[in-house]
Every structure is written in structure tokens, then in C-alpha cells.
Amino acid sequence: MEDSKYMVAVIGAGPAGLYAARKLAESGARVVLFNRDIKPGGLAEYGIYPDKLKMKQGLRNQFRQILSSDRIDYFGNVTVCCGGNIVLEDLLDSGFQAVLVATGAQGTKWLRLPGENLPGVYHAKNLVFHYNLLPPFGTKKYLVGRRVAVVGAGNVMMDIAHYLVRDQKVEEVIAVVRRGPAEVKFTHKEMEAVGKNLDLAALDGEFARVAPIMQAAGQDVEMARKSFVDVLPKALEPVSQTRLRFEFLASPVRIVGDWMSGVTGLKVEDNTLLAVDGTVKARGLGTTRTIDADTVVFAIGDTVDRDFCVPTYNDAYLAVPQPRFPVSGISFEAFNPDSQKPIERVFLGGWARQASTGLVGVARRDGENAAEAMLAYLKTQPPMPDLDNVVYKFEQRLLETHERVVDKNRLGKLEQAEQAEAQKRGVEDFKYASNDEMLTAMGF
Ligand SMILES: Cc1cc2nc3c(=O)[nH]c(=O)nc-3n(C[C@H](O)[C@H](O)[C@H](O)COP(=O)(O)OP(=O)(O)OC[C@H]3O[C@@H](n4cnc5c(N)ncnc54)[C@H](O)[C@@H]3O)c2cc1C
Ligand SMILES: NC(=O)c1ccc[n+]([C@@H]2O[C@H](COP(=O)([O-])OP(=O)(O)OC[C@H]3O[C@@H](n4cnc5c(N)ncnc54)[C@H](OP(=O)(O)O)[C@@H]3O)[C@@H](O)[C@H]2O)c1
């Protein structure tokens, strides 16, 4: 194998970071991968619904194979920035010629509504991390009531509905959607888990209520309804009596309740639809109503972590408007809006560049494109002399100054321990839910 020429760091070992690392390594770079979580995979491990085990295991195999490269080192349980173990400047000062930020969308999108902090109000990410056993969420208690309003109409809303219908078996799940039935974003496939719990009478009532507004916006009501009921023949057999219903054209304005009794309802403003330049928007009508609920879950997408050491714009880290190394016309270079200059040597990829957008395949392509942009930059730089020695010294310092850093060797031990535990329990998959258990299993 040709000697490595460049030394780069990748922050975040989700799909974007891992596939970027592979591309960088295959193209002659030595990659050091840092990950906040002990395990690699990001949302592929801790987001994808647990019952999609085949898909998860397929991805785990690919990630294991990527990490087996001699050109990629892995350091889990290491948070960069965000009050973590290392700051970005440390990496840039330690010889890394370029750094890829692939940290995903770890921040919470607050709507700043009254009542948003009441007990019984959750953001989907926390519940998703809980049922996927990401520490510390895996061991925390999330009390869910009987009537749960889930705000949003994407696949995350459907995953939450899946959890509430098939696992928590609550009485009622109400999906609260700000636009109409023709604008829902979840896929048929994801509805199969809950389709048999759909309250068809309530759905028809809701369609009748919003039909005039849909028609005024030029929409085909029957076609939209068909897209909801077409999934029913393929839907899984129900395991609960949960009623799933939809409230369309409703934007949350307040969570009703108090600190003693928690949530009692979700106050929403009625919307109408406005077709503008080929897109359909929701416009508030000023009238409000309250949906009875004792729990509210926001499944409205996430935002990047604002404590990270890169400026943000909307929900993602800010990219250079006129990229010097564009790939397919897209900018992957971080930008400093104060100096109006690129943040030299810092690149963005995956959900860190575009929060809450797309499937694993999209994050993979974005990570690979970010790697291509980095490689275009690296080609303008002289190869790094004495590279192996610089990497070795950096890693020695990291291990001396930071506790319980998880390298590839330890990761292998964890995998073995979890497989042994699965066998012992006679289950297909076993995951430790706390960092302490994982660290003990790895021999710390
Ligand atoms: C609930 C849910 C379910 C999904 N289900 C599916 C599905 O079924 N099929 C599908 O194809 N896609 C699914 N997706 C989408 C898919 O998971 C994402 O497209 C993809 O994981 C995004 O990849 P990423 O690498 O950009 O970010 P992430 O996957 O979020 O990875 C980010 C990584 O960065 C690390 N990190 C964060 N901050 C730091 C830091 N400061 N320092 C060091 N490391 C850090 C994290 O530990 C994590 O490992 C789902 C998404 C969600 C939210
Ligand atoms: N099983 C799977 O394959 C799977 C599972 C989970 C996630 N994913 C993927 O992960 C990505 C993220 O999913 P997601 O569900 O978080 O995002 P999403 O698909 O963008 O859906 C977000 C939903 O929240 C609504 N919303 C946003 N802001 C709102 C606000 N202020 N008030 C009220 N509603 C608001 C949106 O409405 P508008 O449309 O009106 O903006 C939309 O219905 C998607 O690409 C998704 O496909 C895939």
C-alpha cells in the first residue's frame, strides 16, 4: 500500500463521518476519527428503529469493515468542543491538515412556546435515544401518559407513533400536522407498523373538515386520502388498542398544564393552506382550539449543537457561500460570518451540514462528497513529512491526557462481550444501556 500523505481528523462516527473516513483513507490520507459515543454508527445505531435489526446489522458490518483499515484510527468516548475533551484548535494545532465536522444534528429545536418545559413534554430525539439505549438516555425514565400528541408528520413522528402504539400501548396517539394530508412527509413503509391502529372514522372526519381548504389550494382530496389507506392491506397485525388519529392544519401555540399536574392539552392555531410558487404553506387563521393530551412529543427535526466551535445558520453549521472546493455545486467548507472568510481547514458533512435531512444513504453521499472537497484542498498542500510519527505522538498524548478513550481494540472487546451476553440471554441482539457497563466490559 502507498504511504499516507496527509493527516486528517474526522469528528463524528455516524454514517457521514465513517464513509468520509473510508474515502479519505482510500485516497491516501491517514484518518483519526473522534466520536462522542463509545460505539460508532450515530443514528444508524441509535436512531433507526430497533426492530430493523437486519438493516442495523448490515450497517454495523460495513462500519466494522471501514474501521478495520490501518489508515483509520478510532477514538470513541471523546467529545470535541461542546465542553468536551478536545477543542477544534487543539486538532488544528496538532498537525491535522484538515478536519471534517460530521457531528450530526445533536441540538434541540425549541419553538419557544409557553409550557414547553412542563413535565410530559419531550423532544423525539430523547425518546428515540431512550428506546435505542444510547447512554445516558437509555437508563433515564420517560413517563408517557395515555393520550400523546406528537407534533410533526415526518418519519420520526411515525417512529414515535410506532413506539407508542406497539411498545408503550398508550390509549391514543394524535399526530398534529401544521399543513394538510397532502404534505405529510412520512413514507408508506413506516406507516405499516401502526396502520391497523388508524382510527378510520376519525380520519374520514378530518378529511371532510379540511377538504374545502385542500380544494381551494387545488389539491385532490381523494388521492391524498388514498395515500393513507393504501398502506392498510400491508399493515402489521395490531398488538394494542391504541387509536391513531391525525389533526391537520394545526400549529402548536401553547402546551396547556401546570407543574403540579403536568400537561393537560396542546393549544393549536388553525391554519389554512397557501400555494406560493409551487409550494404549499400553512398560514395561521388566528383561531385556536385545544387538543386533549397528557404528553406532547415534538418530532419536528433537530438542529446542530450550538456549543460546538463552528458558527451556525438556521439549523446547521454555516458553509462558505462561494466554495473554493465545491462538489456537485455544494459547499462543504465552514464559514466565519464575522471575518466573511472560510474557517481554514475545517469542512462540514452529513447532518452537521444539513440538519435532519435524508436517510443513511444521503448522509453517506454527503460524507463522501465532503471527503472529496477535503481531498481537493489537500492536493493544494504539500504532503506531510514524518506523518506516522506525528500521528503516533498525538495519539500517545491523547491517551495519556484523557481517561477511558475507546480505541478499536476495546471496541472489539465490547462487541464480543455483547455477543456473548446475547447468546447467554437467547436474544438476537444485546446492547449495554450505560457507559459504565460498556467500559467495564471493555476492561477499563
Ligand atoms: C429517529 C430516526 C430514525 C431514522 N431511521 C432511519 C432508517 O430507518 N433508515 C435510514 O436510512 N435512515 C434513518 N434515519 C436517518 C439516518 O439515521 C441519518 O441520515 C444519518 O444517521 C445521519 O448521519 P450523520 O453521520 O450525519 O449524523 P449522526 O448519525 O447523528 O452521527 C453523528 C455522530 O457524531 C458524534 N458526535 C456528535 N457530537 C460530537 C462531538 N462534539 N464530538 C465528537 N463526536 C460527536 C455522535 O456520537 C454520532 O456518532 C433516521 C433518523 C432518525 C432521527
Ligand atoms: N424509517 C425511516 O426511514 C426514517 C425514520 C426517521 C427519520 N428518517 C429520515 O430522517 C430525516 C428527518 O426526519 P424528521 O421526521 O425529523 O424530519 P421531516 O421529514 O423533515 O419532518 C419534520 C416534520 O415536522 C414538521 N415541522 C417542522 N417544524 C415545525 C414547526 N415549527 N411546527 C410544526 N411542525 C413542524 C414538518 O412540517 P412541514 O412539512 O410543514 O415543514 C414535518 O412534518 C428525514 O429525511 C426522514 O425521512 C427516516
Side-chain angles (χ1 to χ4, degrees):
M1 188 168 60
E2 204 191 327
D3 282 348
S4 301
K5 295 197 229 42
Y6 303 108
M7 173 174 159
V8 300
V10 174
I11 310 171
L18 283 158
Y19 289 112
R22 178 167 75 182
K23 177 146 193 164
L24 288 160
E26 282 172 356
S27 308
R30 181 75 192 268
V31 185
V32 181
L33 192 45
F34 300 95
N35 199 36
R36 177 201 62 194
D37 307 334
I38 285 177
K39 286 187 194 178
L43 287 167
E45 179 62 49
Y46 292 115
I48 292 178
Y49 206 83
D51 70 355
K52 292 185 182 170
L53 191 55
K54 252 201 179 128
M55 179 197 266
K56 281 194 169 191
Q57 279 172 339
L59 287 165
R60 283 177 192 160
N61 289 342
Q62 288 186 38
F63 299 156
R64 192 181 307 110
Q65 215 256 329
I66 290 173
L67 291 177
S68 69
S69 163
D70 288 342
R71 286 186 168 168
I72 302 176
D73 287 332
Y74 176 84
F75 295 111
N77 205 21
V78 176
T79 300
V80 180
C81 300
C82 310
N85 324 48
I86 304 180
V87 292
L88 194 55
E89 282 71 27
D90 285 346
L91 297 180
L92 295 170
D93 292 347
S94 302
F96 289 98
Q97 291 162 291
V99 176
L100 174 63
V101 178
T103 47
Q106 308 298 333
T108 297
K109 210 152 115 185
W110 296 98
L111 296 187
R112 313 215 180 280
L113 303 180
E116 218 171 356
N117 288 321
L118 284 174
V121 181
Y122 300 116
H123 286 262
K125 178 157 45 75
N126 297 30
L127 289 181
V128 165
F129 284 164
H130 171 69
Y131 64 63
N132 270 299
L133 302 182
L134 173 69
F137 303 90
T139 49
K140 280 189 182 164
K141 286 246 177 303
Y142 290 88
L143 295 178
V144 171
R146 290 180 303 135
R147 308 185 81 184
V148 188
V150 189
V151 181
N155 279 326
V156 172
M157 180 282 284
M158 258 316 156
D159 276 359
I160 295 292
H162 182 166
Y163 172 66
L164 296 168
V165 167
R166 300 192 81 85
D167 182 310
Q168 296 290 299
K169 300 184 172 66
V170 304
E171 227 166 76
E172 188 174 39
V173 176
I174 312 123
V176 181
V177 183
R178 69 174 163 185
R179 295 192 284 164
E183 284 77 41
V184 296
K185 290 181 172 163
F186 55 80
T187 44
H188 279 176
K189 183 92 196 112
E190 302 317 313
M191 205 178 161
E192 284 173 13
V194 296
K196 287 258 163 42
N197 291 74
L198 195 57
D199 181 333
L200 283 172
L203 186 73
D204 283 340
E206 194 56 4
F207 264 90
R209 185 179 75 83
V210 300
I213 292 176
M214 291 177 73
Q215 279 153 351
Q219 295 182 339
D220 185 334
V221 178
E222 198 38 48
M223 205 162 83
R225 184 185 176 278
K226 213 166 145 328
S227 78
F228 278 73
V229 293
D230 271 1
V231 70
L232 297 184
K234 280 193 177 168
L236 302 185
E237 280 313 307
V239 297
S240 72
Q241 303 286 319
T242 308
R243 236 161 54 87
L244 169 64
R245 64 183 187 88
F246 285 80
E247 292 268 358
F248 298 111
L249 298 173
S251 282
V253 290
R254 163 187 289 272
I255 293 105
V256 187
D258 57 49
W259 279 89
M260 289 305 284
S261 36
V263 174
T264 56
L266 178 67
K267 189 169 176 184
V268 295
E269 180 178 5
D270 297 312
N271 292 330
T272 189
L273 294 174
L274 216 59
V276 190
D277 299 334
T279 58
V280 175
K281 297 195 164 156
R283 197 187 64 186
L285 290 169
T287 52
T288 58
R289 62 202 156 92
T290 299
I291 298 167
D292 283 346
D294 53 23
T295 311
V296 175
V297 183
F298 285 96
I300 57 173
D302 296 309
T303 181
V304 291
D305 194 330
R306 279 158 209 280
D307 290 337
F308 197 81
C309 14
V310 171
T312 56
Y313 178 71
N314 285 340
D315 291 319
Y317 296 119
L318 180 56
V320 169
Q322 266 96 37
R324 297 163 301 174
F325 309 100
V327 178
S328 306
I330 295 171
S331 173
F332 294 92
E333 298 157 69
F335 188 58
N336 181 342
D338 295 332
S339 65
Q340 288 290 305
K341 288 196 175 126
I343 304 177
E344 290 299 334
R345 299 189 277 153
V346 179
F347 291 78
L348 311 169
W351 282 23
R353 192 187 71 75
Q354 225 185 352
S356 294
T357 306
L359 302 179
V360 166
V362 175
R364 171 187 175 157
R365 195 170 57 245
D366 208 68
E368 288 171 347
N369 287 347
E372 207 174 310
M374 290 169 83
L375 289 163
Y377 161 74
L378 289 167
K379 281 190 187 134
T380 68
Q381 300 299 305
M384 183 149 191
D386 201 16
L387 188 146
D388 286 336
N389 194 28
V390 180
V391 175
Y392 177 77
K393 280 193 173 149
F394 172 81
E395 294 184 351
Q396 283 305 110
R397 212 172 59 240
L398 178 78
L399 295 171
E400 277 162 20
T401 51
H402 295 85
E403 282 180 357
R404 310 199 293 184
V405 172
V406 174
D407 60 13
K408 288 198 268 186
N409 188 22
R410 301 263 191 189
L411 217 46
K413 284 188 184 162
L414 175 59
E415 215 170 286
Q416 278 173 8
E418 289 192 332
Q419 274 163 10
E421 197 60 38
Q423 237 169 19
K424 202 164 91 188
R425 293 169 187 238
V427 292
E428 240 187 308
D429 193 41
F430 173 82
K431 269 160 101 167
Y432 291 113
S434 75
N435 276 353
D436 281 348
E437 288 166 295
M438 283 194 257
L439 292 164
T440 305
M442 287 183 280
F444 277 103

